[in-house]
Amino acid sequence: MMSLLNQEYTSRQRDLAQTIFERYMSADPLLSSEYSQYRQRTMLRDILYNLECLDVAVRHDTEEIFLDYVLWMYNLLVTRMTDTSPERIKQQLIQHYQTMIEVLAEDVSESANQRRIILEKAISLTKQGQVPGTPSRRFEKGKYAPLRQAYLQNLLAGDRKSASKEIMDAIEAGVPLKDIYIEVFQEVMWEVGNLWHRNKLTVDKEHLCTAITQGVMAQLYSRIFSTPRNGRRIVACCVGSELHEMGVRTVCDLFELNGWDSVYLGAAVPTDGVLHAVEEHKPDVVALSVTMISYIDNCAEIIETIRRHSNLQATRIAVGGRAFQIASSLPKKWGVITATNGADFVDWAVRFFG
Ligand code: B12
């Protein structure tokens, strides 16, 4: 399996992961010959991450959090463990979830039953799992498909000058900035993610595509900041150890384009930091971005902290990012605003604030 995040875990979580690992390995004698020492080590880390995802799903009563991860993991392994057939990977994963059910059944916590139900669903979902085939359909459709394709090819070639020119020419030809952000940058970056997931693109290329796009975004600033100001302000950031900051940067740029002032704090802002920025800048809206589901807890904590402060009651709180496209019921449960992309979020702000 793949190691996702370098988290700090408690000794109880580590013990549990060790027990699951040992039982899993002894349940199927084939595994010790199939798994190299390296794979066994990364597997232990992945079990910790699996347990964490399950915990987040249970804590927020949102099984989609774990089930989305289960399918994503199956697809990832199929393209990474090329020495093992997709059917065998399925068997291994099912055996793994079964072992989790058995080990967690010995746990007497209140949520034991809920964990079992989610893991049983994970098993049936894995049984139905399809090997990923075709590239994402949205990327290849619509009037911006040629521009996306040309821009992506420049990114992959590491050609900053041509990537930038492609975008500047499109703007000169009348493509609105909003579409450049949502229809080109966002769609291309999502496609970069799909290619990485399907093992068609290496991590260095993923970083390259990100770095070039960040550079091109910066070239658009003179256009974005020239819109007349409307006196509104947004503070925006990623929470926990979240590194995916292009989404919330897009949000800020689109708000700037619509006359707002944005205080863009970037990646991985701790709770105290968000609170300090909100107290200092007194925004109309604070926007919290989460991509990796592990940071949903951090987001919930920040919302609670802001709400505890009586002087911040007027601040509207919004959440968004990939995690809330999966856990789509959470924003309503928490009583906060959400939107699936930056443009829809601006539309909400225009309706709400006029
Ligand atoms: C670039 C990238 C990275 C870069 C990020 C660099 C940076 N400076 O941002 C780096 C290399 C650091 C990275 C690291 C990792 N990544 Co990554 N990454 C991506 C990638 C390809 C693109 C992200 C992006 O820029 N998207 C474009 C923006 C514009 O879209 P967006 O974020 O969705 O934002 C829009 C909306 O969501 C919304 N929105 C966002 N925030 C907010 C907030 C509010 C309030 C509102 C209303 C709306 C809103 O509006 C935005 C604009 O329209 C994605 C693929 C994807 N599908 O997103 C994978 C992806 C997110 N990464 C993934 C993974 C696995 C990882 C790593 C774990 C990989 C690893 N093994 O190291 C680490 C984790 C790091 C961490 N702790 O956060 C997976 C996550 C899968 C999962 N099951 O969770 C993805 C989906 C790739 C994939 N298809 O498998 N990654």
Side-chain angles (χ1 to χ4, degrees):
M1 290 203 201
M2 299 280 297
S3 178
L4 284 183
L5 303 164
N6 291 318
Q7 302 277 79
E8 293 295 326
Y9 294 102
T10 63
S11 58
R12 186 188 161 275
Q13 286 169 319
R14 287 187 185 284
D15 290 348
L16 207 53
Q18 185 67 35
T19 312
I20 292 171
F21 175 71
E22 282 164 14
R23 292 239 198 124
Y24 170 66
M25 292 303 286
S26 60
D28 183 347
L30 263 183
L31 287 172
S32 28
S33 60
E34 285 173 333
Y35 284 11
S36 65
Q37 283 300 317
Y38 171 75
R39 199 174 276 175
Q40 292 190 29
R41 269 201 313 279
T42 54
M43 166 125 203
L44 198 57
R45 290 207 302 257
D46 287 331
I47 296 175
L48 278 163
Y49 190 71
N50 293 352
L51 285 168
E52 191 194 2
C53 282
L54 187 59
D55 273 350
V56 179
V58 168
R59 252 196 309 280
H60 297 283
D61 197 14
T62 307
E63 64 185 25
E64 295 81 359
I65 289 175
F66 192 71
L67 299 178
D68 177 87
Y69 168 69
V70 157
L71 266 192
W72 175 86
M73 180 52 95
Y74 170 66
N75 289 342
L76 185 81
L77 294 184
V78 166
T79 57
R80 296 301 193 280
M81 290 169 58
T82 46
D83 53 346
T84 312
S85 75
E87 271 316 301
R88 177 67 184 141
I89 292 172
K90 247 184 212 186
Q91 268 177 9
Q92 291 177 352
L93 284 171
I94 290 167
Q95 180 58 51
H96 171 62
Y97 299 132
Q98 193 57 50
T99 312
M100 282 177 79
I101 292 180
E102 283 160 28
V103 174
L104 293 173
E106 294 155 20
D107 182 30
V108 286
S109 73
E110 276 173 24
S111 51
N113 195 38
Q114 204 181 347
R115 280 167 216 270
R116 185 183 49 76
I117 293 171
I118 297 178
L119 284 164
E120 279 167 358
K121 288 192 183 168
I123 290 177
S124 50
L125 205 61
T126 306
K127 279 184 186 155
Q128 298 158 25
Q130 299 288 317
V131 178
T134 49
S136 62
R137 282 142 318 271
R138 212 180 170 294
F139 179 80
E140 292 178 335
K141 284 208 175 131
K143 62 177 174 177
Y144 292 118
L147 177 57
R148 285 181 199 133
Q149 197 56 261
Y151 182 67
L152 176 63
Q153 291 318 315
N154 285 318
L155 295 185
L156 295 175
D159 188 345
R160 285 199 276 175
K161 222 188 272 169
S162 303
S164 162
K165 187 171 183 320
E166 203 71 60
I167 297 300
M168 296 310 163
D169 287 353
I171 293 169
E172 289 310 316
V175 176
L177 281 175
K178 182 183 81 160
D179 288 1
I180 293 288
Y181 272 87
I182 303 295
E183 296 294 336
V184 184
F185 294 153
Q186 177 179 292
E187 288 300 325
V188 168
M189 289 313 295
W190 285 3
E191 182 61 11
V192 165
N194 287 335
L195 292 171
W196 172 82
H197 191 197
R198 288 162 46 228
N199 208 11
K200 304 256 184 235
L201 180 144
T202 52
V203 168
D204 57 309
K205 292 276 186 202
E206 187 194 39
H207 281 249
L208 183 65
C209 297
T210 307
I212 296 178
T213 300
Q214 285 172 327
V216 181
M217 279 181 175
Q219 287 182 290
L220 305 180
Y221 278 0
S222 56
R223 296 167 196 261
I224 283 167
F225 296 139
S226 59
T227 319
R229 304 291 88 191
N230 66 9
R232 300 273 174 205
R233 184 175 298 140
I234 184 169
V235 162
C237 65
C238 300
V239 306
S241 301
E242 182 64 70
L243 297 182
H244 298 94
E245 33 95 16
M246 278 233 274
V248 75
R249 177 173 176 172
T250 296
V251 163
C252 285
D253 289 3
L254 293 179
F255 270 79
E256 289 279 352
L257 188 60
N258 278 269
W260 286 54
D261 287 322
S262 66
V263 181
Y264 166 61
L265 305 175
V269 183
T271 301
D272 286 355
V274 182
L275 192 66
H276 185 263
V278 173
E279 283 181 321
E280 181 182 344
H281 299 287
K282 301 191 177 33
D284 299 280
V285 178
V286 55
L288 307 171
S289 184
V290 185
T291 297
M292 305 302 292
I293 52 184
S294 325
Y295 309 126
I296 285 180
D297 284 350
N298 301 85
C299 193
E301 184 193 79
I302 293 174
I303 294 170
E304 256 183 61
T305 309
I306 294 175
R307 284 185 173 154
R308 270 203 307 274
H309 282 69
S310 52
N311 59 330
L312 302 179
Q313 296 304 313
T315 316
R316 303 272 147 190
I317 305 173
V319 300
R322 189 179 182 277
F324 296 105
Q325 282 151 24
I326 298 163
S328 55
S329 59
L330 280 187
K332 194 169 175 207
K333 219 186 263 179
W334 292 347
V336 296
I337 301 133
T338 193
T340 46
N341 65 47
D344 289 352
F345 188 19
V346 167
D347 287 348
W348 165 83
V350 169
R351 283 197 308 276
F352 191 83
F353 293 100

